Amino acid sequence: MSTAVSFPLGASTTLAELARDPHPRLALLRAHEPVTWLPELNGWLVTRRDLALDVMRDSATFTVDDPRFTTAQVVGPSMLSLDGTAHTRHREPFAAPFRPRRVHDGFAAFIEQETDRLLTALEPAGAAELRRSFAGPLAVAVVTEALGLVGTTTDTVLSWYDAIVRSVSDLTAGLEAGPAGPAAYAQLRDAVEATVTDRDASSLLVSAAERLELPEVASNAAVLMFGGIETTEGMITNALLHLLENPGQLALVQRDSSLLDGAVEESLRLEPGAAVVDRYATRDTILGPATIRGGDLVSVSLTGANRDPAVFTDPDRFDVRRAEARLQLAFAHGPHHCLAAHLARLETRIALQRLLERLPGLRSDPQRPATPYGLVFRKPDALHVLWDTPA
């Protein structure tokens, strides 16, 4: 029996729909075809949370180590595209600064300083597009500081990031990637090499180079840098959008700033910065209702899993006091759980707190509404806001 007959909902699901407004379709799939075949994807899509966890925990059956893995096509092998002992060897040299106890001590003061610098420049205007004038530059500054990359500017790093993310997104959508992504990565690799060979530098890149070859340091730096920029820019932008769209929840946070942590988790649940993670079956296996063949693409919808009504009551509602919000899977799970998740959370919390403190009457610009968009990385193209300035 053909997969189109076995999985009719999957057969009628388009990538355009999943990029534009995925939630109604994902709810339908989760209820009726929780593992389904998408002809447009030429792979399986997993939308139920328990099955998503099964895939992400079992790297022996569902691996990232496959020549089709798109990020590796752009930057080469890294912790993101390796499993087992090779994955551990690539990941461990970068892990220490991102452990929970070290994140606050190592980064809070820098994040506060950079946040205040950006807001001081924006404050007098009473209006701004915050994704690219605030969230993006903050994310770039923090990840550049975390890696200890020398001799670059925020604008340069943002230009690299744009080009590399575009290449990865094009490849994921089955398109041919242009030369801009590889060219940007070559410039990043040069910057990493300059950092590592600077005898006066003391940084995470330098210490990683004691255990990894230079191309390995560069590929992992690219993954950390662009993962850190992409997810954190999206986290800040999406979280602020959720608050501004839900005035009652915003009022709760403004009365009690301890609810900011809940707001961050709930926003991650509703719109994870990375909507899907890809794996490849290493052997024939059964997953829920599906018989998966060795070599098949298995794409886990973190967006779908995060609105599973079996785990999250009234799953489409934004609730900063939701007790189970921490069960969201926005940072993935298992061996490839996001290395810098604690840093991203800290950065987003500080950013939101400072925005609400320093920009009185902060609100969306009604003339320029914002909506998250994207098949792989979901956030608004722009977030235009207004606030009150002294008369």
Side-chain angles (χ1 to χ4, degrees):
M1 189 181 293
S2 78
T3 50
V5 174
S6 303
F7 301 100
L9 291 174
S12 63
T13 298
T14 67
L15 298 185
E17 179 184 20
L18 294 179
R20 186 180 62 254
D21 179 21
H23 306 298
R25 172 61 60 161
L26 292 175
L28 198 61
L29 291 171
R30 192 173 50 235
H32 301 287
E33 295 176 12
V35 182
T36 191
W37 180 261
L38 261 62
E40 279 204 13
L41 189 67
N42 194 29
W44 300 94
L45 187 69
V46 182
T47 50
R48 213 171 72 196
R49 185 178 181 279
D50 59 329
L51 297 172
L53 286 171
D54 288 345
V55 172
M56 291 187 287
R57 285 171 173 160
D58 185 1
S59 60
T61 305
F62 302 101
T63 186
V64 295
D65 193 355
D66 185 280
R68 291 167 289 176
F69 197 82
T70 50
T71 306
Q73 291 179 44
V74 181
V75 305
S78 71
M79 67 178 88
L80 191 67
S81 59
L82 295 167
D83 274 315
T85 56
H87 169 254
T88 303
R89 188 177 73 81
H90 277 248
R91 182 177 169 115
E92 195 53 37
F94 291 91
F98 301 116
R99 294 192 172 113
R101 272 180 286 187
R102 289 187 55 179
V103 163
H104 188 276
D105 293 345
F107 298 108
F110 178 83
I111 295 168
E112 288 167 357
Q113 173 188 328
E114 193 63 20
T115 300
D116 284 336
R117 185 186 69 77
L118 290 165
L119 288 177
T120 296
L122 295 174
E123 227 167 1
E129 191 289 290
L130 287 183
R131 183 190 150 200
R132 272 304 162 96
S133 67
F134 177 75
L138 178 61
V140 171
V142 173
V143 80
T144 304
E145 170 77 6
L147 291 174
L149 194 66
V150 301
T152 57
T153 66
T154 297
D155 287 344
T156 299
V157 173
L158 266 175
S159 72
W160 295 342
Y161 151 78
D162 279 338
I164 292 176
V165 166
R166 197 175 306 114
S167 286
V168 171
S169 297
D170 285 348
L171 289 168
T172 302
L175 305 173
E176 190 172 326
Y185 179 59
Q187 292 173 4
L188 169 63
R189 196 171 54 233
D190 290 344
V192 169
E193 187 168 352
T195 300
V196 168
T197 55
D198 180 353
R199 297 186 180 277
D200 297 325
S202 173
S203 73
L204 182 56
L205 294 177
V206 173
S207 64
E210 296 170 4
R211 299 165 63 181
L212 297 172
E213 298 297 323
L214 196 56
E216 296 172 335
V217 177
S219 63
N220 286 293
V223 163
L224 286 170
M225 179 168 285
F226 299 110
I229 295 168
E230 180 63 50
T231 52
T232 313
E233 183 191 63
M235 277 176 71
I236 295 169
T237 308
N238 289 337
L240 183 58
L241 179 61
H242 281 125
L243 285 168
L244 296 180
E245 287 183 335
N246 293 272
Q249 299 296 303
L250 176 59
L252 289 175
V253 167
Q254 288 174 319
R255 285 198 296 270
D256 179 3
S257 64
S258 69
L259 293 173
L260 273 170
D261 288 328
V264 172
E265 295 305 307
E266 185 69 337
S267 177
L268 283 167
R269 186 185 70 78
L270 286 172
E271 284 291 3
V276 293
V277 292
D278 289 346
R279 301 291 186 266
Y280 298 88
T282 59
R283 59 181 177 82
D284 293 357
T285 188
I286 304 292
L287 183 68
T291 301
I292 293 170
R293 302 296 177 199
D296 283 355
L297 166 65
V298 180
S299 194
V300 174
S301 173
L302 301 178
T303 306
N306 276 355
R307 298 195 187 205
D308 190 333
V311 179
F312 305 103
T313 307
D314 195 3
D316 296 324
R317 183 166 58 89
F318 179 70
D319 179 4
V320 299
R321 293 186 288 199
R322 182 182 294 276
E324 72 275 17
R326 277 267 181 170
L327 296 176
Q328 56 81 15
L329 301 176
F331 293 113
H333 195 79
H336 291 278
H337 180 267
C338 174
L339 186 68
H342 297 291
L343 177 59
R345 284 186 168 108
L346 177 68
E347 198 174 330
T348 304
R349 188 191 197 286
I350 290 172
L352 291 176
Q353 186 159 15
R354 288 291 207 270
L355 283 164
L356 297 177
E357 286 172 355
R358 293 192 54 178
L359 305 180
L362 184 63
R363 58 201 180 273
S364 298
D365 183 342
Q367 302 301 315
R368 306 168 92 170
T371 305
Y373 178 85
L375 180 66
V376 181
F377 304 113
R378 287 188 60 77
K379 57 183 175 295
D381 286 340
L383 179 56
H384 292 276
V385 297
L386 309 171
W387 61 91
D388 302 331
T389 55

